Amino acid sequence: MLKVCKFGGSSLSDAKHFKQVKAIIEADKDRKCVIVSAPGKGEGERDKITDLLYLCFQHNKYHVEFDSLFERVEQRYLTIKKELNIDYPIENDIKDIKDALKAGEMTEAKLVSRGEYLCAKLLSAYLGYSFLDAKDLIHFKFDGKVDEKKTNEDITKAFSKVEKAVIPGFYGSYPNGDICLFSRGGSDVSASYFAEALDAYLYENFTDVSGFYMADPRIIENPLKINEISYDELRELSYAGAQVLHAETIIPLMEKRIPLEVLNSNHPEEGGT
Ligand code: ASP
């Protein structure tokens, strides 16, 4: 019996949020499969790591110096590691990434995926969970669609060998091993594939809002919360532009009717949708 939990970038933006995430995970022994986004914007953080990595790639491509940009990425992870005393040499991974980029050995997708990769490495060490690499579990065909059969089989196999794991969201690999990304916000979709393959009884999606509201809270003051919504209504809302979840999130969940709960990692007690 397990739940799949996905934490978005705003839920992992800094050490304080890592701590909150740890408390949430440790509050329920069924939270055994954890999918993460790259650290995003937060109280003291202006940038999403993913955006900075896209920028680094473009700078390097046009031979514009990118050291200071890359250092901003590096500092985010080093600060989290230091403030939480995480015993994992993340600096080595970061150095390898930078060296490979300078040597022209990184595709854009690979570089950008490192935001999630580094985040999962740190969180798994912090929680004492295993780390599983999404490149070995989420398989894309060359047409960019997910190979559901292979993905399902490999996720199931991997989880027969570990009890609890953290996995980077947002990417997988092509049959030749190259990294392939979902579209932006795609960690939501990664987590759905895990929920489906592992027969999770619940997929908890932790973000920075306590679920869906009847109107955009940035435009309408205190809109009412929607406690329950059908898959079809949710899909319509997402395609219509509600920015809470990636529009494709529910596709892998529908057949097995796996319930999805959208929760706020800052206020999990509020409940969600
Ligand atoms: N980090 C990626 C993005 O910013 C993917 C995700 O957060 O789901 O789009």
Side-chain angles (χ1 to χ4, degrees):
M1 289 272 278
L2 65 75
K3 290 180 181 178
V4 165
C5 303
K6 184 255 164 177
F7 292 91
S10 53
S11 303
L12 291 159
S13 57
D14 55 19
K16 178 182 142 199
H17 285 84
F18 260 61
K19 258 193 203 164
Q20 279 179 356
V21 165
K22 187 172 198 256
I24 290 171
I25 292 171
E26 290 179 349
D28 185 338
K29 61 176 180 18
D30 290 346
R31 292 184 173 130
K32 293 178 187 165
C33 173
V34 178
I35 316 294
V36 296
S37 288
K41 292 184 195 179
E43 282 145 43
E45 302 296 347
R46 284 177 297 131
D47 306 299
K48 288 184 173 195
I49 291 284
T50 307
D51 294 335
L52 294 174
L53 290 170
Y54 271 116
L55 278 175
C56 285
F57 188 84
Q58 290 302 322
H59 275 66
N60 189 49
K61 182 173 163 189
Y62 295 109
H63 311 290
V64 178
E65 183 272 314
F66 65 91
D67 289 318
S68 57
L69 260 181
F70 195 85
E71 209 182 296
R72 276 158 68 187
V73 173
E74 184 168 20
Q75 279 313 318
R76 292 279 293 272
Y77 293 103
L78 293 184
T79 306
I80 295 170
K81 169 184 155 132
K82 188 163 156 238
E83 288 185 9
L84 300 175
N85 265 322
I86 301 174
D87 187 17
Y88 174 77
I90 197 84
E91 55 284 357
N92 297 348
D93 291 316
I94 297 173
K95 182 178 181 306
D96 290 348
I97 293 166
K98 190 170 182 190
D99 290 349
L101 178 62
K102 289 208 157 159
E105 289 159 5
M106 278 267 176
T107 61
E108 185 177 54
K110 171 115 190 230
L111 178 67
V112 170
S113 72
R114 298 305 85 185
E116 273 67 14
Y117 176 88
L118 294 170
C119 187
K121 281 276 181 185
L122 266 189
L123 187 66
S124 58
Y126 184 43
L127 294 173
Y129 274 34
S130 304
F131 168 88
L132 295 174
D133 195 343
K135 85 172 174 13
D136 306 318
L137 303 175
I138 301 266
H139 300 287
F140 288 89
K141 299 184 221 165
F142 280 118
D143 65 5
K145 297 210 174 86
V146 172
D147 181 338
E148 291 179 26
K149 188 167 173 282
K150 195 159 186 271
T151 295
N152 238 291
E153 281 169 9
D154 281 354
I155 292 176
T156 319
K157 221 186 288 165
F159 264 85
S160 65
K161 294 184 198 132
V162 299
E163 204 208 333
K164 298 164 162 190
V166 180
I167 307 109
F170 190 37
Y171 71 93
S173 62
Y174 287 117
N176 65 359
D178 284 355
I179 296 290
C180 176
L181 301 175
F182 286 104
S183 55
R184 294 295 304 263
S187 304
D188 289 338
V189 188
S190 306
S192 292
Y193 283 104
F194 282 86
E196 200 225 330
L198 299 173
D199 276 324
Y201 70 89
L202 183 63
Y203 167 6
E204 294 176 317
N205 188 298
F206 287 92
T207 175
D208 56 0
V209 287
S210 298
F212 283 87
Y213 290 83
M214 291 194 185
D216 187 335
R218 289 168 303 186
I219 301 171
I220 305 288
E221 232 179 278
N222 293 325
L224 288 177
K225 192 159 80 189
I226 302 172
N227 291 324
E228 245 177 66
I229 191 170
S230 71
Y231 289 124
D232 287 339
E233 288 166 330
L234 176 55
R235 185 143 62 158
E236 248 177 68
L237 259 186
S238 303
Y239 282 117
Q243 283 165 8
V244 181
L245 283 178
H246 190 289
E248 285 159 33
T249 309
I250 56 164
I251 297 172
L253 305 176
M254 282 172 65
E255 202 177 314
K256 288 189 179 164
R257 315 302 289 174
I258 296 171
L260 164 72
E261 192 169 11
V262 177
L263 292 155
N264 188 342
S265 61
N266 298 307
H267 299 286
E269 74 290 347
E270 279 182 4
T273 299

